[in-house]
Amino acid sequence: GENVEQHPSTLSVQEGDSAVIKCTYSDSASNYFPWYKQELGKGPQLIIDIRSNVGEKKDQRIAVTLNKTAKHFSLHITETQPEDSAVYFCAAPQEKLTFGTGTRLTIIP
Amino acid sequence: KAGVTQTPRYLIKTRGQQVTLSCSPISGHRSVSWYQQTPGQGLQFLFEYFSETQRNKGNFPGRFSGRQFSNSRSEMNVSTLELGDSALYLCASSLEGVGIDTEAFFGQGTRLTVV
């Protein structure tokens, strides 16, 4: 089955700085990689995803990069704001969604 | 369009009791997956239903079961509750299934506390 490792588990950055979260996966057949943001008391919210036929995808301040050869993908958040504080999960679907262990991102005002 | 709706939002049950949680997916979505979220274990896959059939199952005991109705609404049931079943239970809705390259959207979850 799929195994997804996510780093770091916690991350604190100054407001306005960038944050990067990295994930590696084991199943080379995986071809779709979503990122979820979970705020306190809420369910995970899909914020961006990437498919294996592209190397990078951007949506305003958020970007995801994918390296299929190395089997890793990363979430990049630029110009961070206090509302970016949350837990972020990567996932790799293969019959089911296998999630990383999560990164608690704290933006320091 | 309406999102994924889970009911109830909060539940307190006693050990040994059983509980039923409900999930209404996004209109048109045929796949509903269930996940258990705990601080220690993270997000763990329970099972997926597609067109009223269980398509995949995670590594949970038989006390955890589910079903899906013809309108795609799904329920999960936990019998003989244990303290360790205390968790946030999340359902995810997708068009064709989370393993088939399509987006999955989560509900707010049901917070189950077993005392």
Side-chain angles (χ1 to χ4, degrees), chain A residues 2-61:
Chain A
E2 181 67 275
N3 183 45
V4 179
E5 294 187 3
Q6 181 172 348
H7 300 281
S9 57
T10 60
L11 181 61
S12 295
V13 300
Q14 290 292 139
E15 183 178 353
D17 287 351
S18 296
V20 181
I21 303 169
K22 298 180 180 181
C23 285
T24 59
Y25 60 97
S26 60
D27 192 334
S28 57
S30 294
N31 56 14
Y32 170 68
F33 306 92
W35 284 91
Y36 289 86
K37 173 184 181 183
Q38 188 173 24
E39 297 174 315
L40 197 61
K42 296 184 178 181
Q45 176 192 4
L46 178 67
I47 56 172
I48 195 167
D49 55 23
I50 190 168
R51 287 173 170 78
S52 59
N53 57 343
V54 297
E56 183 177 9
K57 181 177 177 180
K58 288 183 180 179
D59 183 3
Q60 299 181 14
R61 298 185 296 108

Side-chain angles (χ1 to χ4, degrees), chain B residues 69-112:
Chain B
F69 301 96
S70 58
N71 62 357
S72 292
R73 188 178 71 87
S74 177
E75 290 181 346
M76 69 163 281
N77 183 276
V78 188
S79 62
T80 320
L81 283 166
E82 301 176 359
L83 294 178
D85 297 333
S86 295
L88 181 67
Y89 289 88
L90 293 158
C91 84
S93 158
S94 67
L95 268 171
E96 297 291 337
V98 295
I100 309 181
D101 193 21
T102 59
E103 297 93 337
F105 300 92
F106 283 84
Q108 299 267 55
T110 293
R111 171 74 62 187
L112 172 64

